[in-house]
Amino acid sequence: MLRLTTPSKQELSDIGAFITPPAKGGNSADIGAHWAVTDTPSATSGLDGSYTEVCRKPLGRFLSFDVKRSLFSSKRLADEPEDTPPTKRLREAEVAISSITLNDMDTSSSYGEEVKSVVNTLSMDPEVVADGSRLYTIPTVPGKHNDLKAISPDTMDAVLRGCYDDKVGRVTVIDCRYPYEFEGGHIRGAVNLFTRDMVRDFLLAHVVDDASSGRHVLVFHCEFSYERGPKMYRHLRSEDRSLHTDVYPRLAFPEVYLLEGGYKAFFNKHMIQCEPQEYKPMLHKDHVTDLRHFRAKSKSWTAGERANRLRSSLRF
């Protein structure tokens, strides 16, 4: 027997139906022959006297509930774990490994075991340099950028005076300010790299250095070490990772620092280490045209960075 229940007029726009299949022994072919739609429930008998009840129900509210549940079934953004530096390092290391082809690395080999060990070390110990080979040799301080290792102006002065010569082989200070700022006063011995191409060229010039050259440590900074210095620091690390993808975690510069407070903070405390012993700010009134020029150039560099954000910025 077939019983059909139709929705009321205001529910005709609702969709969906719950259909109870024919009872055992029923003939489904007869259902089509006796299908009837009325304003009241009806029943149609099968050949063996059994019946099937067909009940059309408004499913709008059920469908709406299901959609809402699917939209909110996952955790809200606010409920997700904070992306802490350790978890970020682990994720970035995993991305690096995934970019290595199976032909490049046999996970059953000693190299594969070494990579696994380094990934574990980098994810658990923030005091290990970016290739997992040793601890950072220069004392660090908390900075504005949690993903970058920072040193204080006093420590920078100690490095320049040779207090860490027994621990590092060579130190290069990279000043990321614009040329007119650099010429107006900079840390003694610093090099002026203020574009992404300059940083990459510097990396390529040193990527073939062998182990006998000792530990080559880099210190980035700009006027306040707030934007330009950190940006170039990250760019160098990203390029360094890209150049060594097939030999992860090897890097040309595994030990890199950021000068906390930038040139201004250093100049205020250790002017004697600057040449000339002056400080020219980016917003100097005599260099309005220069500033406009370099800012216009920076827009094109930033546009290129947006595309590169799709690439992984790997373990710092």
Side-chain angles (χ1 to χ4, degrees), residues 63-76:
L63 208 60
S64 176
F65 173 77
D66 290 340
V67 172
K68 291 178 181 178
R69 184 172 60 180
S70 66
L71 289 174
F72 296 100
S73 59
S74 59
K75 292 183 179 180
R76 294 175 300 174

Side-chain angles (χ1 to χ4, degrees), residues 122-301:
L122 294 178
S123 63
M124 300 300 295
D125 192 350
E127 299 306 317
V128 175
V129 297
D131 64 357
S133 62
R134 62 182 186 272
L135 298 177
Y136 282 94
T137 55
I138 301 176
T140 60
V141 296
K144 301 181 183 68
H145 303 270
N146 293 331
D147 60 322
L148 308 180
K149 287 295 182 181
I151 62 174
S152 68
D154 291 338
T155 301
M156 182 77 260
D157 174 63
V159 170
L160 295 173
R161 289 188 287 105
C163 296
Y164 295 91
D165 287 353
D166 60 330
K167 297 181 179 180
V168 298
R170 180 182 176 188
V171 177
T172 299
V173 178
I174 299 179
D175 190 329
C176 303
R177 296 177 300 158
Y178 299 142
Y180 66 88
E181 298 174 82
F182 182 82
E183 293 167 3
H186 57 267
I187 296 175
R188 184 178 294 118
V191 295
N192 188 206
L193 307 178
F194 59 95
T195 71
R196 293 164 58 89
D197 288 342
M198 287 180 174
V199 170
R200 179 174 174 80
D201 290 343
F202 176 85
L203 171 63
L204 293 176
H206 295 84
V207 74
V208 295
D209 287 356
D210 55 28
S212 62
S213 62
R215 298 175 176 177
H216 192 167
V217 174
L218 304 182
V219 181
F220 281 79
H221 78 85
C222 54
E223 185 174 3
F224 306 107
S225 288
Y226 184 75
E227 182 177 357
R228 291 175 290 176
K231 184 183 298 184
M232 293 304 174
Y233 179 146
R234 294 187 179 101
H235 177 61
L236 177 129
R237 178 50 47 75
S238 178
E239 292 292 333
D240 205 349
R241 283 293 187 205
S242 297
L243 290 174
H244 295 90
T245 299
D246 57 339
V247 288
Y248 180 88
R250 188 184 304 171
L251 291 170
F253 297 103
E255 190 168 356
V256 185
Y257 299 91
L258 181 71
L259 175 59
E260 186 66 17
Y263 181 76
K264 181 179 181 181
F266 183 82
F267 177 82
N268 289 338
K269 299 190 70 175
H270 305 286
M271 182 177 61
I272 194 173
Q273 293 280 22
C274 302
E275 55 182 23
Q277 294 181 8
E278 298 177 5
Y279 163 43
K280 183 170 291 186
M282 182 182 71
L283 300 179
H284 195 281
K285 60 183 179 62
D286 294 337
H287 294 275
V288 175
T289 302
D290 293 327
L291 175 59
R292 187 180 299 114
H293 168 75
F294 287 111
R295 276 186 168 172
K297 290 289 186 181
S298 296
K299 290 182 180 180
S300 62
W301 302 332

